[in-house]
Amino acid sequence: MLIGVLALVLGACSVDHSGQDSSKETIRIAYQSFPSGDLIVKNNRWLEDALPEYNVKWTKFDSGADINTAFIAGEIDFGAIGSSPVARGLSAPLNIPYQVAFVLDVAGDNEALVARNATGIKTVADLRGKKVATAFASTAHYSLLAALNQAGLSADDVQLVDLQPQASLAAWQRGDIDAVYTWLPTLDELRKDGTQLIASRELATAGKPTLDLGVVSTAFAKDHPEIVDTWRKVQARALTTIATDPDAAAEAVAAQLGASKEDAAAQLKQGVFLTPEQISSPEWLGTEGAPGNLAVNLQSAAQFLAEQKQIDSVPDLAVFQNALYVKGLPDVLDQ
């Protein structure tokens, strides 16, 4: 069954084999097309330049659920994935052996719930009985459930439809669905003729934050800690670029999204990007011997998923603390 699922997942992915040298070992990276430092690293080939003795293979995935499947099958080493799929991945029955090595961004206005203007829906409570699309097992799915819960609704009170971002846009344009919880850049297309009901920034304030995380296979990190260090350094460089040279950051993201530089700049402004110093703070990853509060955040997400019957049970906090890759922090992020 897993082989069949994996075939479907990888069949829907876009793999960049450009410049591959068959004599070199390959680092396999799963990425998603949302505005982030990860796209800056990819576009500028910083990892390739820092590790010339390796091939770097970038594979595009549509959502965290697909990335989890690829990790289970041992097809990738690093991945850009939301906190809710990570909480799910670290819980039974998946129990994926990976660790969080970086915080790419904290969801702000870059993920949101939007209703088609033609439906007349103005509030989350108005969604009762309506068709609402989201990518199942994603941070958007988690946030949608949290938004419904906040409005006194459950998943059973709406007609949930499992659609990836581009598919949800097509269904929206056909009028097949009434609302969508998704992320950029698709989100901006929906906003053109839709009403935003709630954004992940508001849910974070209400105690249900979501994040985009950089994870690494536990086995890969054990065998190649020096590569993980290099990967974290270039990711930290990307965060610094977003903060200090937004023009260069927008140019790189625009190239990866096939968008205008102006659109990319506007999309980057909707996310919350930490500084490298913040990432190794107690609030987030923490340091060696002192895992950060991100572990509590992930366990809280798992607790909510269990309450929503998305997973069977909630792992102990130690599971999430052990899943934070804090080796060498904070010094390894110094640039």
Side-chain angles (χ1 to χ4, degrees):
M1 181 66 176
L2 179 60
I3 294 174
V5 172
L6 180 65
L8 288 172
V9 169
L10 295 184
C13 297
S14 173
V15 183
D16 184 357
H17 292 286
S18 59
Q20 300 281 298
D21 182 339
S22 59
S23 67
K24 297 179 181 179
E25 187 176 346
T26 299
I27 302 166
R28 304 163 302 171
I29 302 177
Y31 76 101
Q32 297 188 59
S33 288
F34 54 77
S36 69
D38 200 40
L39 293 187
I40 297 172
V41 171
K42 179 180 183 294
N43 188 74
N44 294 339
R45 297 182 59 82
W46 286 343
L47 197 59
E48 289 85 343
D49 290 343
L51 297 168
E53 66 274 30
Y54 293 91
N55 289 319
V56 179
K57 182 177 78 173
W58 295 84
T59 304
K60 180 182 174 182
F61 286 78
D62 290 329
S63 73
D66 292 347
I67 291 176
N68 272 344
T69 301
F71 264 113
I72 290 169
E75 292 290 332
I76 51 178
D77 305 309
F78 292 91
I81 182 171
S83 53
S84 178
V86 169
R88 185 188 296 264
L90 293 171
S91 304
L94 297 183
N95 299 313
I96 301 174
Y98 57 26
Q99 292 177 284
V100 179
F102 208 77
V103 179
L104 298 173
D105 68 78
V106 180
D109 298 313
N110 51 348
E111 283 194 0
L113 174 60
V114 184
R116 286 193 303 114
N117 287 336
T119 65
I121 295 168
K122 300 297 182 185
T123 69
V124 178
D126 293 339
L127 293 175
R128 185 183 296 274
K130 302 298 185 180
K131 288 185 178 180
V132 185
T134 193
F136 282 12
S138 67
T139 53
H141 186 195
Y142 171 87
S143 295
L144 172 60
L145 295 176
L148 292 173
N149 183 261
Q150 187 182 82
L153 301 178
S154 72
D156 293 334
D157 292 320
V158 300
Q159 300 177 57
L160 283 183
V161 183
D162 181 11
L163 292 175
Q164 299 294 344
Q166 281 302 112
S168 68
L169 176 58
W172 171 285
Q173 292 168 339
R174 291 192 303 268
D176 292 346
I177 52 178
D178 302 306
V180 181
Y181 207 124
T182 192
W183 54 87
L184 293 171
T186 301
L187 177 60
D188 269 353
E189 291 299 312
L190 302 179
R191 284 172 171 150
K192 290 177 180 178
D193 59 346
T195 299
Q196 182 166 303
L197 306 181
I198 195 169
S200 294
R201 185 188 300 275
E202 298 162 72
L203 290 168
T205 302
K208 292 290 186 291
T210 51
L211 310 94
D212 289 314
L213 304 171
V215 299
V216 60
S217 156
T218 301
F220 185 89
K222 181 181 179 181
D223 293 341
H224 301 288
E226 73 291 348
I227 294 179
V228 181
D229 286 352
T230 300
W231 178 83
R232 289 187 293 181
K233 284 179 181 294
V234 294
Q235 292 290 350
R237 180 182 175 187
L239 287 183
T240 300
T241 300
I242 292 171
T244 63
D245 195 349
D247 194 61
E251 187 171 348
V253 169
Q256 288 297 307
L257 295 180
S260 71
K261 189 172 165 182
E262 292 72 24
D263 284 348
Q267 290 178 17
L268 282 168
K269 288 178 181 177
Q270 295 180 56
V272 178
F273 298 96
L274 305 177
T275 65
E277 293 76 21
Q278 287 175 314
I279 285 176
S280 59
S281 72
E283 183 178 359
W284 300 107
L285 278 178
T287 57
E288 286 193 76
N293 196 59
L294 179 55
V296 176
N297 177 291
L298 290 170
Q299 188 188 42
S300 177
Q303 180 66 49
F304 184 75
L305 290 172
E307 291 169 0
Q308 298 293 319
K309 297 181 171 48
Q310 298 291 307
I311 59 175
D312 296 333
S313 61
V314 182
D316 293 338
L317 180 60
V319 170
F320 298 102
Q321 290 175 327
N322 292 334
L324 301 186
Y325 187 83
V326 293
K327 182 180 176 64
L329 290 180
D331 294 343
V332 75
L333 297 184
D334 291 343
Q335 303 199 29

